[in-house]
């Protein structure tokens, strides 16, 4: 008795590992941007406080 193609089940493909490197680089870039923004804002606030 031949088996039809519809009844044949194939094993599930194993999930592929995704490279996390681009995500890490992007997170590091955003962290540096945020730190720079905080430092510049603090410096601007100090200058504004001195002048007033």
């Amino acid at each position: 008795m031949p088996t039809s193609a519809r009844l044949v089940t194939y094993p599930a493909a194993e999930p592929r590992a995704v490279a996390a490197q681009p995500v890490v680089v992007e997170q590091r870039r955003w962290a540096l941007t945020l730190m720079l923004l905080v430092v510049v804002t603090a410096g601007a606030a100090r200058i504004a406080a001195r002048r007033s």
Side-chain angles (χ1 to χ4, degrees):
M1 183 163 144
T3 307
S4 69
R6 285 181 276 160
L7 298 178
V8 175
T9 58
Y10 296 101
E14 293 182 17
R16 295 181 183 173
V18 178
Q21 187 65 23
V23 175
V24 171
V25 171
E26 186 176 349
Q27 287 177 345
R28 187 176 297 145
R29 187 177 299 138
W30 278 108
L32 288 172
T33 303
L34 182 62
M35 285 174 43
L36 181 64
L37 182 64
V38 168
V39 168
V40 169
T41 305
R46 261 179 104 176
I47 291 171
R50 273 191 207 165
R51 291 188 178 185
S52 62

